[in-house]
Amino acid sequence: MSRSIGLAHTIRNDDGTSSGVWGLYALQSAFQPIFAFKEGKLSVVAFEGLIRPFRDGEPQSPMNFFSTCPAGDRLHIEALTRTLHLLNAGACLPQEASIFINFDPSVFTERSIADSALRDMRLVLHEAGIDPRRIVCEVTEQKSASQETLYSFVEALRANGFRIAVDDYGADDSDINRIKELKPDIVKFDAHWITQLMESGAGFALLTTMVTNFEQQGIRTVFEGIEEGWQLELAEKSGASMVQGFALAKPELAPTSFRVFGKDAQPPVAATEPVKAPAGRTASARPGRVFGRRTGP
């Protein structure tokens, strides 16, 4: 794969952002903030890149877009989406924030393919003016990927200086042995699984224990899919490092308004407003504030 694969399908817009074209689809980047708990306040520390496909000007489901793409094109589409996210992150996100980029390890069936793709990615990072140390590569164990493929790919990511995040922890294919083998920097907990555990005292105790165990190993944690105030309260109480979800901020299409979260902009927002937890759920004394943001598609 050459560097031209991603850029050949990229269009630079008048506002400095980039869009992609693949067949009948126009592709845009959206970014969702990831917040960290710091001394009772919430601070934006990272953004996750999310692809948003359009057809004839109408938004389409990302899942439907990927399901209609031939398997043989998946490697090139991955290159295009990474290129879009990196170019747009360089154009419209705070310079100090980390950037979470999704990877499907199953398309990197050989180490040479991974090495070529990551060389391409580093060139795009240079063009976007992004320090590679800001990049967090999210990997999910796909059913089509062997353990050897997964481990080899993560080794290639680490050799290029990128941080590793295991996505959807707690989903069907996730287990503690995989964490031990991959030794990620970050674990992102599956949103549905988190909600189930928060429904009971025993489940929440288990969740807190897992967070503590990961933190003791130097692994930071992200709770995804936080959509209600009581979930945010419990996330803080559990000791989770970071949180992400609609209760905090929705994804925005590039260009975003998220530069306001830069270190030279407004200070972190204190978590002060009380939120009542549903019956049977234990809430901490100080939840975080809910942020209103315009939505992406």
Side-chain angles (χ1 to χ4, degrees):
M1 184 179 67
S2 69
R3 178 172 179 258
S4 63
I5 292 297
L7 294 176
H9 294 269
T10 301
I11 299 171
R12 194 64 63 97
N13 303 316
D14 292 340
D15 60 9
T17 64
S18 297
S19 301
V21 177
W22 193 269
L24 298 175
Y25 291 91
L27 303 177
Q28 295 187 43
S29 291
F31 294 98
Q32 185 173 29
I34 297 173
F35 294 76
F37 294 109
K38 293 182 179 179
E39 300 177 352
K41 298 179 181 180
L42 286 168
S43 299
V44 173
V45 293
F47 295 85
E48 180 178 359
L50 304 165
I51 202 66
R52 293 293 186 255
F54 292 79
R55 184 169 178 175
D56 297 327
E58 295 296 324
Q60 306 294 311
S61 161
M63 184 177 297
N64 289 343
F65 165 68
F66 286 115
S67 66
T68 60
C69 294
D73 291 348
R74 187 60 186 260
L75 184 65
H76 300 324
I77 293 171
E78 286 250 334
L80 172 56
T81 58
R82 282 194 302 273
T83 298
L84 283 178
H85 293 332
L86 296 175
L87 292 176
N88 286 321
C92 65
L93 295 183
Q95 294 183 357
E96 66 277 7
S98 296
I99 305 162
F100 282 65
I101 303 292
N102 290 281
F103 284 83
D104 176 2
S106 67
V107 303
F108 301 98
T109 53
E110 299 176 10
R111 179 59 182 263
S112 61
I113 296 175
D115 288 340
S116 177
L118 295 176
R119 282 195 300 270
D120 175 82
M121 181 172 164
R122 290 184 70 91
L123 290 171
V124 175
L125 283 168
H126 178 74
E127 180 167 332
I130 296 174
D131 188 327
R133 291 173 295 184
R134 292 174 59 192
I135 302 301
V136 180
C137 301
E138 291 191 35
V139 296
T140 303
E141 184 179 16
Q142 304 290 329
K143 290 183 172 64
S144 57
S146 67
Q147 294 282 6
E148 292 75 17
T149 297
L150 178 64
Y151 297 156
S152 176
F153 179 63
V154 169
E155 181 182 332
L157 291 173
R158 194 167 273 125
N160 277 269
F162 303 130
R163 284 176 287 162
I164 310 299
V166 168
D167 197 16
D168 294 337
Y169 182 79
D172 292 341
D173 293 326
S174 299
D175 58 59
I176 193 64
N177 291 328
R178 184 159 56 95
I179 300 298
K180 291 179 179 178
E181 291 290 339
L182 296 180
K183 298 179 176 62
D185 303 280
I186 298 168
V187 171
K188 298 188 77 175
F189 282 62
D190 176 72
H192 181 67
W193 193 54
I194 289 172
T195 300
Q196 286 185 316
L197 292 177
M198 286 180 172
E199 294 285 346
S200 68
F204 179 70
L206 175 60
L207 191 61
T208 301
T209 298
M210 286 187 291
V211 168
T212 300
N213 288 340
F214 284 140
E215 293 288 343
Q216 290 173 347
Q217 299 173 57
I219 300 173
R220 305 193 73 197
T221 52
V222 181
F223 282 11
E224 296 184 282
I226 301 298
E227 297 187 354
E228 299 184 38
W230 67 270
Q231 294 174 314
L232 186 60
E233 295 182 61
L234 294 185
E236 182 182 16
K237 187 175 182 180
S238 74
S241 310
M242 293 170 276
V243 285
Q244 178 181 3
F246 279 22
L248 295 154
K250 295 181 180 181
E252 287 190 17
L253 288 175
T256 72
S257 64
F258 294 142
R259 279 196 183 276
V260 299
F261 292 128
K263 63 181 180 181
D264 297 327
Q266 65 185 36
V269 178
T272 54
E273 265 186 52
V275 177
K276 184 178 180 180
R281 298 170 180 141
T282 303
S284 66
R286 289 187 309 174
R289 177 180 292 180
V290 176
F291 288 73
R293 291 286 176 263
R294 75 171 172 82
T295 62

